């Protein structure tokens, strides 16, 4: 959101302010203040104009308002509807941008890994963060883990006991609440750009998603304030993506996969055994009963414990 508008909102968040005072504070004309107020109302901010001046009565639940109160150095680009926020973020990367988050209420061509379809009805949180971390390409998986931790933490703060299934799913009671798709480009020694896409079934009915084993925040606890949840998620991700040392301990704490019997399809082979730990940058250590194998990527299935 434009800088002056953020400053107007910051001022009104404290108390009502008269138009002329706002103009003085921001060193703009009264006509400019009025124009910005009208723009903000158009975005869904309820701003009353009474005797005490302009008063901020309510903040929209989603939309460009995500930029207001966001404590992370990211530009927010919001779309009511877009084909895929990952595709858009990759386009922005090609245009030389960085530190942008593309957010949408609905996606018409959302994608999962391996070009699978990701259902993205209106009411969800579909977003992609574009960063240029300047680390070796081999470190890329840690960003997927960081996104899973950030998502889980934000969801837990909203009162839902989510946990992480390796490598990229956030689950509640074994059902999928969120998924992550990380894409990047660069040389082996240095990532050029990295796009971390997060799809979170927020205020949607699981029935709107044509897949098995799906849940949503609406189903778990009722609708959430998506603006606040998105901000918390982005703030956590911003912190973790610059502090890799904090990612693995948090991931272990939230992991649903560790200690379970798993079957992982990876690069044309299947590894089965007990998931014992995660290692940097994101490999899963599996005790096969015949030694320990670390798998770097793949599709993971949680199995019932043997004997059940
Ligand atoms: C993922 O893939 O879990 C990564 C999903 C990433 C989506 C985000 S949304 C914002 C950004 N923009 C994009 O275009 N994508 C990213 P994967 O592990 O391959 O899981 C895909 C599978 O999950 C599908 O084959 C379905 O079975 C199932 N699925 C599809 N839509 C779902 C949904 N909304 N909720 C839960 N499961 C879903």
């Amino acid at each position: 959101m434009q800088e002056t508008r953020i400053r107007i909102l910051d001022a009104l968040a404290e108390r009502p302010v008269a138009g002329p005072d706002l103009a003085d504070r921001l060193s703009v004309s009264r006509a400019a203040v009025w124009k910005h107020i009208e723009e903000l109302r158009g975005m869904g901010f309820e701003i009353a104009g009474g005797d005490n001046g302009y008063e901020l009565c309510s903040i929209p639940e989603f939309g460009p308002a995500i930029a207001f109160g966001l404590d992370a150095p990211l530009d927010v680009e919001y779309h009511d509807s877009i084909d895929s926020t990952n595709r858009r973020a990759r386009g922005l990367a090609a245009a030389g941008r960085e530190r942008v988050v593309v957010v949408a209420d609905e996606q018409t061509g959302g994608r999962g890994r391996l070009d699978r379809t990701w259902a993205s009805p209106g009411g969800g949180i579909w977003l992609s963060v574009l960063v240029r971390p300047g680390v070796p390409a081999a470190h890329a998986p840690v960003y997927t883990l960081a996104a899973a931790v950030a998502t889980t933490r934000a969801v837990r703060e909203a009162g839902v006991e989510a946990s992480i299934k390796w490598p990229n799913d956030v689950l509640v009671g074994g059902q999928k609440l969120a998924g992550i798709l990380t894409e990047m480009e660069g040389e082996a020694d240095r990532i050029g750009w990295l796009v971390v896409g997060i799809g979170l079934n927020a205020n949607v009915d699981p029935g709107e998603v044509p897949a098995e084993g799906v849940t949503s925040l609406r189903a778990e606890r009722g609708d959430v304030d998506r603006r606040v949840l998105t901000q918390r998620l982005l703030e956590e991700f911003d912190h973790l993506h610059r502090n890799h040392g904090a990612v693995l301990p948090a991931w272990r704490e939230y992991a649903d996969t560790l200690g379970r019997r798993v079957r992982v399809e990876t690069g044309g082979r299947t590894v089965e055994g007990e998931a014992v730990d995660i290692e940097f940058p994101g490999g899963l250590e599996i005790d096969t009963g015949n030694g320990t194998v670390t798998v770097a990527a793949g599709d993971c299935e949680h199995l019932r414990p043997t004997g059940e």
Side-chain angles (χ1 to χ4, degrees):
M1 203 188 309
Q2 204 234 28
E3 174 72 23
T4 311
R5 287 179 203 147
I6 301 253
R7 291 178 61 205
I8 289 177
L9 290 168
D10 283 340
L12 298 187
E14 289 167 24
R15 67 182 76 84
V17 187
D21 293 346
L22 265 182
D24 282 352
R25 270 212 229 173
L26 305 176
S27 309
V28 297
S29 69
R30 292 176 194 189
V33 166
W34 181 81
K35 227 176 118 198
H36 286 303
I37 296 278
E38 284 305 304
E39 291 282 345
L40 287 166
R41 285 175 172 153
M43 288 180 201
F45 289 89
E46 257 184 71
I47 301 173
D51 292 344
N52 298 334
Y54 291 115
E55 184 177 356
L56 180 58
C57 303
S58 79
I59 301 168
E61 180 263 336
F62 206 48
I66 293 162
F68 171 55
L70 172 64
D71 190 11
L74 291 167
D75 292 333
V76 177
E77 180 182 294
Y78 173 78
H79 299 263
D80 283 328
S81 181
I82 193 171
D83 53 357
S84 156
T85 57
N86 260 46
R87 189 203 54 77
R88 172 65 185 158
R90 282 190 283 121
L92 292 173
R97 297 279 305 275
E98 67 175 315
R99 292 197 164 277
V100 187
V101 56
V102 182
V103 189
D105 177 54
E106 174 197 65
Q107 294 185 121
T108 53
R111 288 179 310 109
R113 295 178 302 154
L114 307 171
D115 265 334
R116 293 174 189 137
T117 300
W118 183 259
S120 318
I125 298 175
W126 324 118
L127 64 82
S128 302
V129 185
L130 164 63
V131 288
R132 296 181 184 274
V135 300
H139 292 186
V142 81
Y143 296 91
T144 301
L145 302 190
V149 168
T151 305
T152 303
R153 202 165 267 166
V155 164
R156 286 190 177 199
E157 283 174 13
V160 173
E161 272 306 284
S163 55
I164 305 171
K165 176 174 160 226
W166 184 87
N168 71 327
D169 290 351
V170 176
L171 307 179
V172 182
Q175 297 189 302
K176 188 155 167 170
L177 177 71
I180 295 154
L181 173 66
T182 303
E183 299 179 287
M184 59 152 206
E185 192 179 87
E187 310 294 321
D189 63 340
R190 199 179 160 87
I191 292 174
W193 56 256
L194 186 104
V195 169
V196 180
I198 302 174
L200 171 60
N201 299 324
N203 302 341
V204 304
D205 292 323
E208 292 176 86
V209 175
E212 294 292 306
V214 173
T215 191
S216 72
L217 293 178
R218 174 177 285 172
E220 299 294 335
R221 59 147 334 242
D223 284 359
V224 290
D225 183 325
R226 287 181 294 165
R227 180 181 72 96
V228 172
L229 199 144
T230 303
Q231 289 175 338
R232 286 297 301 125
L233 190 165
L234 292 173
E235 288 161 7
E236 285 296 329
F237 179 75
D238 182 67
H239 168 72
L240 291 166
H241 100 279
R242 280 180 281 108
N243 295 279
H244 292 177
V247 176
L248 264 59
W251 194 93
R252 288 188 187 100
E253 184 188 333
Y254 297 149
D256 189 38
T257 300
L258 299 183
R260 282 188 186 271
R261 282 195 65 75
V262 296
R263 180 185 298 134
V264 178
E265 305 289 340
T266 175
R269 70 189 172 124
T270 304
V271 180
E272 205 172 302
E274 187 191 329
V276 284
D277 202 6
I278 184 98
E279 68 179 43
F280 187 86
L284 186 68
E285 278 177 32
I286 302 173
D287 179 356
T288 63
N290 235 339
T292 303
V293 175
T294 300
V295 286
D299 273 319
C300 172
E301 191 187 340
H302 288 172
L303 305 174
R304 292 186 184 285
T306 42
E308 233 181 57

